[in-house]
Amino acid sequence: MKKILSLFLILTLVSLFGGCAAAGNQAAEKGEWESVQVAFEADDYYARLERCVKQIREKTDFVPDIVLVLGSGLGDYADSVKIVAEIPYSEIEGFPVSTVAGHDGTLIFCEIEGKKVVVMNGRVHYYEGYDIHEVVLPLRVLHLLGAETVVLTNAVGAINADYNVGDFVLNVDYISSFVPSPLTGENIDKLGDRFVDMTNAFDEELNAIVEGVANENKIPVHRGVMVQTTGPQYESPAEIKMYRSLGADTVGMSTVVETIAARHMGMRVCSISCITNMAAGMQEKISHEEVQSSSDDASKSFAVLVSGLLKKMA
Ligand code: HPA
């Protein structure tokens, strides 16, 4: 009896798997699976990067050494620089365009403190609905234009109770575990290796320069660990407790994924965060208006830090 039951079970399983395989073959023949089989095509994506580079090259032959990414409310800095060329993101086919108020979306090719800089005035965020590979596309394009260093700025909430609104934080490490990696999918071998070391993601030499400039100008600056969340909602107080217990000092909705993409390409990274609010549960409530007005208030100090860095860096 046992033998008969086992045989029946085996026959049932074989017919079930056979059925699935047959259905699968039919679907594959119809081409229904093609879109899910290859989620990310490295060659197609790289070709798009090259098309973006070509379009920019048709407008300017400027070769930047440094990318400066301006975060929310920090856009005014771009008004004070010596502009060589300006290209709105919307004029570059294949470039993602930001939908957030306060993130203008223009590439500004300029000289600051004698350095050749391309300013990304505005960035796109994962929470806007863009795929994570789109979020880092501009940085990859600007690296292909020649930039080997990136200075990332952003607004963050402070998780560390010793920090104050208006202080700055030099990121010395990060937690990316709550956002998808921009390196998932087929590796783009022309940009970097499949597996990337993140031990010293942020450049200590650049951090030391910013720290020196901050001290000279009595601007409060800390060294901290940033966690990136997907947003767009601000965190819950319970989430903030969790991030604190994991070792995070600040929380924001950008920067970490760009750092990962930059390190994949071997770029030097310096990341300066401006504290616009205490994190959820540490103040009464958080609003986008408060985040914007705090970063506006900090814009003068921010300009001092960035200009000082650009002046002194090799
Ligand atoms: N959380 C996430 N992102 C932020 C915050 C915050 O509190 N403040 C500014 N950006």
mmCIF file with all atom_site columns, all heavy atoms in Angstrom, residues 53-76:
data_model
loop_
_atom_site.group_PDB
_atom_site.id
_atom_site.type_symbol
_atom_site.label_atom_id
_atom_site.label_alt_id
_atom_site.label_comp_id
_atom_site.label_asym_id
_atom_site.label_entity_id
_atom_site.label_seq_id
_atom_site.pdbx_PDB_ins_code
_atom_site.Cartn_x
_atom_site.Cartn_y
_atom_site.Cartn_z
_atom_site.occupancy
_atom_site.B_iso_or_equiv
_atom_site.pdbx_formal_charge
_atom_site.auth_seq_id
_atom_site.auth_comp_id
_atom_site.auth_asym_id
_atom_site.auth_atom_id
_atom_site.pdbx_PDB_model_num
ATOM 1   N N   . VAL A 1 53 ? 26.254 61.997 -22.882 1.00 0.00 ? 53 VAL A N   1
ATOM 2   C CA  . VAL A 1 53 ? 27.566 62.659 -22.993 1.00 0.00 ? 53 VAL A CA  1
ATOM 3   C C   . VAL A 1 53 ? 27.655 63.385 -24.342 1.00 0.00 ? 53 VAL A C   1
ATOM 4   O O   . VAL A 1 53 ? 28.067 64.549 -24.407 1.00 0.00 ? 53 VAL A O   1
ATOM 5   C CB  . VAL A 1 53 ? 28.724 61.624 -22.863 1.00 0.00 ? 53 VAL A CB  1
ATOM 6   C CG1 . VAL A 1 53 ? 30.061 62.250 -23.246 1.00 0.00 ? 53 VAL A CG1 1
ATOM 7   C CG2 . VAL A 1 53 ? 28.776 61.068 -21.441 1.00 0.00 ? 53 VAL A CG2 1
ATOM 8   N N   . LYS A 1 54 ? 27.223 62.708 -25.401 1.00 0.00 ? 54 LYS A N   1
ATOM 9   C CA  . LYS A 1 54 ? 27.305 63.291 -26.751 1.00 0.00 ? 54 LYS A CA  1
ATOM 10  C C   . LYS A 1 54 ? 26.483 64.587 -26.831 1.00 0.00 ? 54 LYS A C   1
ATOM 11  O O   . LYS A 1 54 ? 26.946 65.600 -27.362 1.00 0.00 ? 54 LYS A O   1
ATOM 12  C CB  . LYS A 1 54 ? 26.797 62.256 -27.763 1.00 0.00 ? 54 LYS A CB  1
ATOM 13  C CG  . LYS A 1 54 ? 27.013 62.636 -29.204 1.00 0.00 ? 54 LYS A CG  1
ATOM 14  C CD  . LYS A 1 54 ? 26.820 61.418 -30.105 1.00 0.00 ? 54 LYS A CD  1
ATOM 15  C CE  . LYS A 1 54 ? 26.777 61.825 -31.557 1.00 0.00 ? 54 LYS A CE  1
ATOM 16  N NZ  . LYS A 1 54 ? 25.457 62.271 -32.016 1.00 0.00 ? 54 LYS A NZ  1
ATOM 17  N N   . GLN A 1 55 ? 25.269 64.541 -26.260 1.00 0.00 ? 55 GLN A N   1
ATOM 18  C CA  . GLN A 1 55 ? 24.405 65.737 -26.304 1.00 0.00 ? 55 GLN A CA  1
ATOM 19  C C   . GLN A 1 55 ? 25.045 66.900 -25.539 1.00 0.00 ? 55 GLN A C   1
ATOM 20  O O   . GLN A 1 55 ? 24.978 68.048 -25.962 1.00 0.00 ? 55 GLN A O   1
ATOM 21  C CB  . GLN A 1 55 ? 23.034 65.435 -25.697 1.00 0.00 ? 55 GLN A CB  1
ATOM 22  C CG  . GLN A 1 55 ? 22.191 64.485 -26.527 1.00 0.00 ? 55 GLN A CG  1
ATOM 23  C CD  . GLN A 1 55 ? 20.945 64.078 -25.742 1.00 0.00 ? 55 GLN A CD  1
ATOM 24  O OE1 . GLN A 1 55 ? 20.031 64.869 -25.593 1.00 0.00 ? 55 GLN A OE1 1
ATOM 25  N NE2 . GLN A 1 55 ? 20.925 62.864 -25.241 1.00 0.00 ? 55 GLN A NE2 1
ATOM 26  N N   . ILE A 1 56 ? 25.666 66.588 -24.404 1.00 0.00 ? 56 ILE A N   1
ATOM 27  C CA  . ILE A 1 56 ? 26.320 67.647 -23.619 1.00 0.00 ? 56 ILE A CA  1
ATOM 28  C C   . ILE A 1 56 ? 27.515 68.193 -24.409 1.00 0.00 ? 56 ILE A C   1
ATOM 29  O O   . ILE A 1 56 ? 27.728 69.404 -24.493 1.00 0.00 ? 56 ILE A O   1
ATOM 30  C CB  . ILE A 1 56 ? 26.756 67.107 -22.233 1.00 0.00 ? 56 ILE A CB  1
ATOM 31  C CG1 . ILE A 1 56 ? 25.520 66.752 -21.404 1.00 0.00 ? 56 ILE A CG1 1
ATOM 32  C CG2 . ILE A 1 56 ? 27.634 68.128 -21.502 1.00 0.00 ? 56 ILE A CG2 1
ATOM 33  C CD1 . ILE A 1 56 ? 25.800 65.979 -20.124 1.00 0.00 ? 56 ILE A CD1 1
ATOM 34  N N   . ARG A 1 57 ? 28.266 67.296 -25.026 1.00 0.00 ? 57 ARG A N   1
ATOM 35  C CA  . ARG A 1 57 ? 29.446 67.697 -25.810 1.00 0.00 ? 57 ARG A CA  1
ATOM 36  C C   . ARG A 1 57 ? 29.064 68.590 -26.997 1.00 0.00 ? 57 ARG A C   1
ATOM 37  O O   . ARG A 1 57 ? 29.869 69.401 -27.457 1.00 0.00 ? 57 ARG A O   1
ATOM 38  C CB  . ARG A 1 57 ? 30.200 66.459 -26.302 1.00 0.00 ? 57 ARG A CB  1
ATOM 39  C CG  . ARG A 1 57 ? 31.097 65.854 -25.240 1.00 0.00 ? 57 ARG A CG  1
ATOM 40  C CD  . ARG A 1 57 ? 32.404 66.665 -25.118 1.00 0.00 ? 57 ARG A CD  1
ATOM 41  N NE  . ARG A 1 57 ? 33.097 66.401 -23.863 1.00 0.00 ? 57 ARG A NE  1
ATOM 42  C CZ  . ARG A 1 57 ? 33.030 67.170 -22.776 1.00 0.00 ? 57 ARG A CZ  1
ATOM 43  N NH1 . ARG A 1 57 ? 32.291 68.255 -22.777 1.00 0.00 ? 57 ARG A NH1 1
ATOM 44  N NH2 . ARG A 1 57 ? 33.698 66.885 -21.689 1.00 0.00 ? 57 ARG A NH2 1
ATOM 45  N N   . GLU A 1 58 ? 27.841 68.432 -27.495 1.00 0.00 ? 58 GLU A N   1
ATOM 46  C CA  . GLU A 1 58 ? 27.390 69.301 -28.597 1.00 0.00 ? 58 GLU A CA  1
ATOM 47  C C   . GLU A 1 58 ? 27.192 70.734 -28.103 1.00 0.00 ? 58 GLU A C   1
ATOM 48  O O   . GLU A 1 58 ? 27.191 71.679 -28.876 1.00 0.00 ? 58 GLU A O   1
ATOM 49  C CB  . GLU A 1 58 ? 26.082 68.765 -29.205 1.00 0.00 ? 58 GLU A CB  1
ATOM 50  C CG  . GLU A 1 58 ? 26.334 67.609 -30.163 1.00 0.00 ? 58 GLU A CG  1
ATOM 51  C CD  . GLU A 1 58 ? 25.078 66.785 -30.446 1.00 0.00 ? 58 GLU A CD  1
ATOM 52  O OE1 . GLU A 1 58 ? 23.975 67.215 -30.031 1.00 0.00 ? 58 GLU A OE1 1
ATOM 53  O OE2 . GLU A 1 58 ? 25.219 65.716 -31.069 1.00 0.00 ? 58 GLU A OE2 1
ATOM 54  N N   . LYS A 1 59 ? 27.016 70.890 -26.777 1.00 0.00 ? 59 LYS A N   1
ATOM 55  C CA  . LYS A 1 59 ? 26.754 72.233 -26.219 1.00 0.00 ? 59 LYS A CA  1
ATOM 56  C C   . LYS A 1 59 ? 27.987 72.846 -25.560 1.00 0.00 ? 59 LYS A C   1
ATOM 57  O O   . LYS A 1 59 ? 28.093 74.061 -25.461 1.00 0.00 ? 59 LYS A O   1
ATOM 58  C CB  . LYS A 1 59 ? 25.606 72.157 -25.203 1.00 0.00 ? 59 LYS A CB  1
ATOM 59  C CG  . LYS A 1 59 ? 24.267 71.804 -25.855 1.00 0.00 ? 59 LYS A CG  1
ATOM 60  C CD  . LYS A 1 59 ? 23.169 71.744 -24.811 1.00 0.00 ? 59 LYS A CD  1
ATOM 61  C CE  . LYS A 1 59 ? 21.946 71.030 -25.308 1.00 0.00 ? 59 LYS A CE  1
ATOM 62  N NZ  . LYS A 1 59 ? 21.016 71.813 -26.077 1.00 0.00 ? 59 LYS A NZ  1
ATOM 63  N N   . THR A 1 60 ? 28.882 72.019 -25.030 1.00 0.00 ? 60 THR A N   1
ATOM 64  C CA  . THR A 1 60 ? 30.085 72.563 -24.377 1.00 0.00 ? 60 THR A CA  1
ATOM 65  C C   . THR A 1 60 ? 31.227 71.547 -24.413 1.00 0.00 ? 60 THR A C   1
ATOM 66  O O   . THR A 1 60 ? 30.984 70.339 -24.333 1.00 0.00 ? 60 THR A O   1
ATOM 67  C CB  . THR A 1 60 ? 29.806 72.963 -22.905 1.00 0.00 ? 60 THR A CB  1
ATOM 68  O OG1 . THR A 1 60 ? 31.009 73.460 -22.327 1.00 0.00 ? 60 THR A OG1 1
ATOM 69  C CG2 . THR A 1 60 ? 29.311 71.805 -22.054 1.00 0.00 ? 60 THR A CG2 1
ATOM 70  N N   . ASP A 1 61 ? 32.458 72.080 -24.532 1.00 0.00 ? 61 ASP A N   1
ATOM 71  C CA  . ASP A 1 61 ? 33.612 71.162 -24.487 1.00 0.00 ? 61 ASP A CA  1
ATOM 72  C C   . ASP A 1 61 ? 34.291 71.206 -23.112 1.00 0.00 ? 61 ASP A C   1
ATOM 73  O O   . ASP A 1 61 ? 35.397 70.704 -22.932 1.00 0.00 ? 61 ASP A O   1
ATOM 74  C CB  . ASP A 1 61 ? 34.618 71.479 -25.608 1.00 0.00 ? 61 ASP A CB  1
ATOM 75  C CG  . ASP A 1 61 ? 35.113 72.912 -25.540 1.00 0.00 ? 61 ASP A CG  1
ATOM 76  O OD1 . ASP A 1 61 ? 34.753 73.642 -24.572 1.00 0.00 ? 61 ASP A OD1 1
ATOM 77  O OD2 . ASP A 1 61 ? 35.862 73.323 -26.450 1.00 0.00 ? 61 ASP A OD2 1
ATOM 78  N N   . PHE A 1 62 ? 33.605 71.809 -22.136 1.00 0.00 ? 62 PHE A N   1
ATOM 79  C CA  . PHE A 1 62 ? 34.110 71.933 -20.767 1.00 0.00 ? 62 PHE A CA  1
ATOM 80  C C   . PHE A 1 62 ? 34.367 70.536 -20.175 1.00 0.00 ? 62 PHE A C   1
ATOM 81  O O   . PHE A 1 62 ? 33.503 69.663 -20.218 1.00 0.00 ? 62 PHE A O   1
ATOM 82  C CB  . PHE A 1 62 ? 33.054 72.655 -19.933 1.00 0.00 ? 62 PHE A CB  1
ATOM 83  C CG  . PHE A 1 62 ? 33.489 73.047 -18.550 1.00 0.00 ? 62 PHE A CG  1
ATOM 84  C CD1 . PHE A 1 62 ? 33.950 74.335 -18.280 1.00 0.00 ? 62 PHE A CD1 1
ATOM 85  C CD2 . PHE A 1 62 ? 33.407 72.144 -17.492 1.00 0.00 ? 62 PHE A CD2 1
ATOM 86  C CE1 . PHE A 1 62 ? 34.328 74.705 -16.993 1.00 0.00 ? 62 PHE A CE1 1
ATOM 87  C CE2 . PHE A 1 62 ? 33.789 72.503 -16.207 1.00 0.00 ? 62 PHE A CE2 1
ATOM 88  C CZ  . PHE A 1 62 ? 34.249 73.790 -15.951 1.00 0.00 ? 62 PHE A CZ  1
ATOM 89  N N   . VAL A 1 63 ? 35.570 70.340 -19.627 1.00 0.00 ? 63 VAL A N   1
ATOM 90  C CA  . VAL A 1 63 ? 35.875 69.056 -18.984 1.00 0.00 ? 63 VAL A CA  1
ATOM 91  C C   . VAL A 1 63 ? 35.958 69.284 -17.467 1.00 0.00 ? 63 VAL A C   1
ATOM 92  O O   . VAL A 1 63 ? 36.916 69.883 -16.976 1.00 0.00 ? 63 VAL A O   1
ATOM 93  C CB  . VAL A 1 63 ? 37.205 68.453 -19.513 1.00 0.00 ? 63 VAL A CB  1
ATOM 94  C CG1 . VAL A 1 63 ? 37.525 67.144 -18.767 1.00 0.00 ? 63 VAL A CG1 1
ATOM 95  C CG2 . VAL A 1 63 ? 37.119 68.216 -21.007 1.00 0.00 ? 63 VAL A CG2 1
ATOM 96  N N   . PRO A 1 64 ? 34.947 68.840 -16.723 1.00 0.00 ? 64 PRO A N   1
ATOM 97  C CA  . PRO A 1 64 ? 34.955 69.077 -15.276 1.00 0.00 ? 64 PRO A CA  1
ATOM 98  C C   . PRO A 1 64 ? 35.882 68.103 -14.541 1.00 0.00 ? 64 PRO A C   1
ATOM 99  O O   . PRO A 1 64 ? 36.021 66.961 -14.943 1.00 0.00 ? 64 PRO A O   1
ATOM 100 C CB  . PRO A 1 64 ? 33.501 68.813 -14.871 1.00 0.00 ? 64 PRO A CB  1
ATOM 101 C CG  . PRO A 1 64 ? 33.018 67.803 -15.875 1.00 0.00 ? 64 PRO A CG  1
ATOM 102 C CD  . PRO A 1 64 ? 33.760 68.066 -17.154 1.00 0.00 ? 64 PRO A CD  1
ATOM 103 N N   . ASP A 1 65 ? 36.509 68.595 -13.467 1.00 0.00 ? 65 ASP A N   1
ATOM 104 C CA  . ASP A 1 65 ? 37.277 67.695 -12.581 1.00 0.00 ? 65 ASP A CA  1
ATOM 105 C C   . ASP A 1 65 ? 36.408 67.251 -11.412 1.00 0.00 ? 65 ASP A C   1
ATOM 106 O O   . ASP A 1 65 ? 36.623 66.190 -10.840 1.00 0.00 ? 65 ASP A O   1
ATOM 107 C CB  . ASP A 1 65 ? 38.510 68.422 -12.019 1.00 0.00 ? 65 ASP A CB  1
ATOM 108 C CG  . ASP A 1 65 ? 39.523 68.706 -13.109 1.00 0.00 ? 65 ASP A CG  1
ATOM 109 O OD1 . ASP A 1 65 ? 39.715 67.814 -13.961 1.00 0.00 ? 65 ASP A OD1 1
ATOM 110 O OD2 . ASP A 1 65 ? 40.100 69.809 -13.132 1.00 0.00 ? 65 ASP A OD2 1
ATOM 111 N N   . ILE A 1 66 ? 35.469 68.137 -11.051 1.00 0.00 ? 66 ILE A N   1
ATOM 112 C CA  . ILE A 1 66 ? 34.686 67.907 -9.826  1.00 0.00 ? 66 ILE A CA  1
ATOM 113 C C   . ILE A 1 66 ? 33.196 68.049 -10.119 1.00 0.00 ? 66 ILE A C   1
ATOM 114 O O   . ILE A 1 66 ? 32.786 68.978 -10.822 1.00 0.00 ? 66 ILE A O   1
ATOM 115 C CB  . ILE A 1 66 ? 35.088 68.969 -8.758  1.00 0.00 ? 66 ILE A CB  1
ATOM 116 C CG1 . ILE A 1 66 ? 36.585 68.867 -8.452  1.00 0.00 ? 66 ILE A CG1 1
ATOM 117 C CG2 . ILE A 1 66 ? 34.254 68.817 -7.478  1.00 0.00 ? 66 ILE A CG2 1
ATOM 118 C CD1 . ILE A 1 66 ? 37.185 70.146 -7.900  1.00 0.00 ? 66 ILE A CD1 1
ATOM 119 N N   . VAL A 1 67 ? 32.399 67.152 -9.536  1.00 0.00 ? 67 VAL A N   1
ATOM 120 C CA  . VAL A 1 67 ? 30.930 67.306 -9.563  1.00 0.00 ? 67 VAL A CA  1
ATOM 121 C C   . VAL A 1 67 ? 30.523 67.830 -8.192  1.00 0.00 ? 67 VAL A C   1
ATOM 122 O O   . VAL A 1 67 ? 30.946 67.300 -7.167  1.00 0.00 ? 67 VAL A O   1
ATOM 123 C CB  . VAL A 1 67 ? 30.211 65.960 -9.796  1.00 0.00 ? 67 VAL A CB  1
ATOM 124 C CG1 . VAL A 1 67 ? 28.696 66.163 -9.838  1.00 0.00 ? 67 VAL A CG1 1
ATOM 125 C CG2 . VAL A 1 67 ? 30.702 65.276 -11.050 1.00 0.00 ? 67 VAL A CG2 1
ATOM 126 N N   . LEU A 1 68 ? 29.712 68.888 -8.194  1.00 0.00 ? 68 LEU A N   1
ATOM 127 C CA  . LEU A 1 68 ? 29.167 69.404 -6.935  1.00 0.00 ? 68 LEU A CA  1
ATOM 128 C C   . LEU A 1 68 ? 27.650 69.238 -6.988  1.00 0.00 ? 68 LEU A C   1
ATOM 129 O O   . LEU A 1 68 ? 26.984 69.860 -7.822  1.00 0.00 ? 68 LEU A O   1
ATOM 130 C CB  . LEU A 1 68 ? 29.550 70.884 -6.768  1.00 0.00 ? 68 LEU A CB  1
ATOM 131 C CG  . LEU A 1 68 ? 28.890 71.657 -5.628  1.00 0.00 ? 68 LEU A CG  1
ATOM 132 C CD1 . LEU A 1 68 ? 29.197 71.037 -4.271  1.00 0.00 ? 68 LEU A CD1 1
ATOM 133 C CD2 . LEU A 1 68 ? 29.334 73.125 -5.649  1.00 0.00 ? 68 LEU A CD2 1
ATOM 134 N N   . VAL A 1 69 ? 27.125 68.376 -6.131  1.00 0.00 ? 69 VAL A N   1
ATOM 135 C CA  . VAL A 1 69 ? 25.679 68.136 -6.127  1.00 0.00 ? 69 VAL A CA  1
ATOM 136 C C   . VAL A 1 69 ? 25.049 68.989 -5.030  1.00 0.00 ? 69 VAL A C   1
ATOM 137 O O   . VAL A 1 69 ? 25.381 68.838 -3.851  1.00 0.00 ? 69 VAL A O   1
ATOM 138 C CB  . VAL A 1 69 ? 25.363 66.633 -5.877  1.00 0.00 ? 69 VAL A CB  1
ATOM 139 C CG1 . VAL A 1 69 ? 23.849 66.392 -5.934  1.00 0.00 ? 69 VAL A CG1 1
ATOM 140 C CG2 . VAL A 1 69 ? 26.077 65.749 -6.887  1.00 0.00 ? 69 VAL A CG2 1
ATOM 141 N N   . LEU A 1 70 ? 24.176 69.896 -5.443  1.00 0.00 ? 70 LEU A N   1
ATOM 142 C CA  . LEU A 1 70 ? 23.534 70.788 -4.471  1.00 0.00 ? 70 LEU A CA  1
ATOM 143 C C   . LEU A 1 70 ? 22.206 70.198 -4.011  1.00 0.00 ? 70 LEU A C   1
ATOM 144 O O   . LEU A 1 70 ? 21.340 69.869 -4.824  1.00 0.00 ? 70 LEU A O   1
ATOM 145 C CB  . LEU A 1 70 ? 23.303 72.172 -5.082  1.00 0.00 ? 70 LEU A CB  1
ATOM 146 C CG  . LEU A 1 70 ? 24.561 72.950 -5.481  1.00 0.00 ? 70 LEU A CG  1
ATOM 147 C CD1 . LEU A 1 70 ? 24.176 74.321 -6.014  1.00 0.00 ? 70 LEU A CD1 1
ATOM 148 C CD2 . LEU A 1 70 ? 25.533 73.095 -4.320  1.00 0.00 ? 70 LEU A CD2 1
ATOM 149 N N   . GLY A 1 71 ? 22.045 70.087 -2.701  1.00 0.00 ? 71 GLY A N   1
ATOM 150 C CA  . GLY A 1 71 ? 20.829 69.523 -2.132  1.00 0.00 ? 71 GLY A CA  1
ATOM 151 C C   . GLY A 1 71 ? 19.729 70.553 -1.975  1.00 0.00 ? 71 GLY A C   1
ATOM 152 O O   . GLY A 1 71 ? 19.889 71.721 -2.365  1.00 0.00 ? 71 GLY A O   1
ATOM 153 N N   . SER A 1 72 ? 18.617 70.121 -1.371  1.00 0.00 ? 72 SER A N   1
ATOM 154 C CA  . SER A 1 72 ? 17.430 70.983 -1.295  1.00 0.00 ? 72 SER A CA  1
ATOM 155 C C   . SER A 1 72 ? 17.718 72.291 -0.561  1.00 0.00 ? 72 SER A C   1
ATOM 156 O O   . SER A 1 72 ? 18.349 72.287 0.499   1.00 0.00 ? 72 SER A O   1
ATOM 157 C CB  . SER A 1 72 ? 16.270 70.252 -0.616  1.00 0.00 ? 72 SER A CB  1
ATOM 158 O OG  . SER A 1 72 ? 16.570 69.998 0.723   1.00 0.00 ? 72 SER A OG  1
ATOM 159 N N   . GLY A 1 73 ? 17.283 73.389 -1.159  1.00 0.00 ? 73 GLY A N   1
ATOM 160 C CA  . GLY A 1 73 ? 17.456 74.698 -0.555  1.00 0.00 ? 73 GLY A CA  1
ATOM 161 C C   . GLY A 1 73 ? 18.859 75.267 -0.685  1.00 0.00 ? 73 GLY A C   1
ATOM 162 O O   . GLY A 1 73 ? 19.112 76.406 -0.312  1.00 0.00 ? 73 GLY A O   1
ATOM 163 N N   . LEU A 1 74 ? 19.807 74.478 -1.222  1.00 0.00 ? 74 LEU A N   1
ATOM 164 C CA  . LEU A 1 74 ? 21.189 74.956 -1.304  1.00 0.00 ? 74 LEU A CA  1
ATOM 165 C C   . LEU A 1 74 ? 21.518 75.502 -2.696  1.00 0.00 ? 74 LEU A C   1
ATOM 166 O O   . LEU A 1 74 ? 22.655 75.838 -2.987  1.00 0.00 ? 74 LEU A O   1
ATOM 167 C CB  . LEU A 1 74 ? 22.160 73.814 -0.939  1.00 0.00 ? 74 LEU A CB  1
ATOM 168 C CG  . LEU A 1 74 ? 21.966 73.211 0.464   1.00 0.00 ? 74 LEU A CG  1
ATOM 169 C CD1 . LEU A 1 74 ? 22.871 71.992 0.666   1.00 0.00 ? 74 LEU A CD1 1
ATOM 170 C CD2 . LEU A 1 74 ? 22.252 74.237 1.550   1.00 0.00 ? 74 LEU A CD2 1
ATOM 171 N N   . GLY A 1 75 ? 20.480 75.602 -3.527  1.00 0.00 ? 75 GLY A N   1
ATOM 172 C CA  . GLY A 1 75 ? 20.665 76.005 -4.917  1.00 0.00 ? 75 GLY A CA  1
ATOM 173 C C   . GLY A 1 75 ? 21.238 77.397 -5.115  1.00 0.00 ? 75 GLY A C   1
ATOM 174 O O   . GLY A 1 75 ? 21.845 77.670 -6.147  1.00 0.00 ? 75 GLY A O   1
ATOM 175 N N   . ASP A 1 76 ? 21.068 78.294 -4.127  1.00 0.00 ? 76 ASP A N   1
ATOM 176 C CA  . ASP A 1 76 ? 21.546 79.674 -4.284  1.00 0.00 ? 76 ASP A CA  1
ATOM 177 C C   . ASP A 1 76 ? 23.048 79.753 -4.524  1.00 0.00 ? 76 ASP A C   1
ATOM 178 O O   . ASP A 1 76 ? 23.534 80.705 -5.120  1.00 0.00 ? 76 ASP A O   1
ATOM 179 C CB  . ASP A 1 76 ? 21.228 80.493 -3.021  1.00 0.00 ? 76 ASP A CB  1
ATOM 180 C CG  . ASP A 1 76 ? 19.757 80.855 -2.980  1.00 0.00 ? 76 ASP A CG  1
ATOM 181 O OD1 . ASP A 1 76 ? 19.070 80.584 -3.977  1.00 0.00 ? 76 ASP A OD1 1
ATOM 182 O OD2 . ASP A 1 76 ? 19.319 81.406 -1.946  1.00 0.00 ? 76 ASP A OD2 1
#
